[in-house]
Amino acid sequence: MTPDQKAPVCVLGTGLIGGSLLRAAVGAGYDAWGYNRSEAGSQAARADGFDVTGDLLGVLTRAADTDALIVVAVPMPAVDHILAEVAGFAPRCSLTDVVSVKAPVAAAVRRHGLAARYVGGHPMAGTSESGWAATDPGLFRDAVWAVGVDAGTHPEPWHRVVRLALACGAVVTPVIADEHDRAVARISHLPHVLAEALAVAGAAGGELALGLAAGSFRDGTRVAATAPDLVRAICEPNATALLDVLEETLTVLSAARESLRDEGTLVDLVEAGHDGRERYETAQRWEITGIRPGDHNWLEALHEAGRRGGVLTELV
């Protein structure tokens, strides 16, 4: 297969992210099919015209026969089982994933002997909904898709993964696993924890508090509407990085509490928070150009570019 050809895509798990990816891939002209453990989920996908089945062995055999790119799109607790099946029936296929934490997935991939064809991935998109009914082919449009450039990554599967991400409408940020996990602990996993805590605080105020709640409470607790088992599957595998940022946040909140109690002001927290939001609003992406997969030090060059806010919008 030449770099300009679209490899077939096999999606293992057709919930919100995997199902949206399947929809987007088919819409972009890929030959794509999927596996879903739930028969109800498989039937819903088939009713919408997509090739999804509960026959994992059949799906993987087809992937092996067609040299497909396999996308692992199950929650972290199910990853080890899925990788064991991939290792048994499609070990030579290119492999990626859309799991929200990267280092534990990469470790599992190595345990199953699949590292040579693996490229980590994580589209930074989602909603509080789940299941096939929530899938949306436009979910990744203009989203950032983190794609691994860890040492040992091979150009050919990396090219396949990036091509798929771009075809789904995303831009690609090159990352290494440990840095990705520390970053998402701050901007994805901590917000889940804080949303849950805010929802608990609001509910503790009873019917009056909930009756008065408006935009700030609604927006701040949006992701608390996510199914609890999915929140745990997202956050708990990144416990080390999340604990670090939780400690940091608790220190900030403790300082704000003391300032409010002793001086009657939240000035430091509010001004620092406003500045942080302004940095987010004004952050500039810039396009990475001139780095070709397989060139000397291409992984290191992409890693450094990604750390500085660079994104890929096309393949060279």
Side-chain angles (χ1 to χ4, degrees), residues 245-257:
V245 73
L246 269 172
E247 290 290 345
E248 182 181 312
T249 303
L250 288 170
T251 298
V252 170
L253 289 173
S254 294
R257 178 189 61 196

Side-chain angles (χ1 to χ4, degrees), residues 48 107 115 264 279:
D48 285 343
R279 287 186 63 188

Side-chain angles (χ1 to χ4, degrees), residues 139-164:
L139 183 67
F140 311 111
R141 192 171 299 122
D142 299 323
V144 173
W145 197 307
V147 174
V149 288
D150 298 85
T153 299
H154 292 274
E156 197 273 339
W158 185 88
H159 197 283
R160 290 192 183 194
V161 174
V162 171
R163 175 175 288 279
L164 176 61

Side-chain angles (χ1 to χ4, degrees), residues 31-49:
D31 177 20
W33 61 93
Y35 158 79
N36 196 63
R37 181 175 61 87
S38 162
E39 181 55 30
S42 297
Q43 289 179 354
R46 289 196 298 272
D48 285 343

Side-chain angles (χ1 to χ4, degrees), residues 4 35 62 71 87 109 116-117 124 161 180 183 224 252 293 314:
D4 293 329
Y35 158 79
R62 180 178 173 186
V71 182
V109 166
R117 301 288 292 169
M124 303 303 298
V161 174
H180 166 276
V252 170
E314 62 181 0

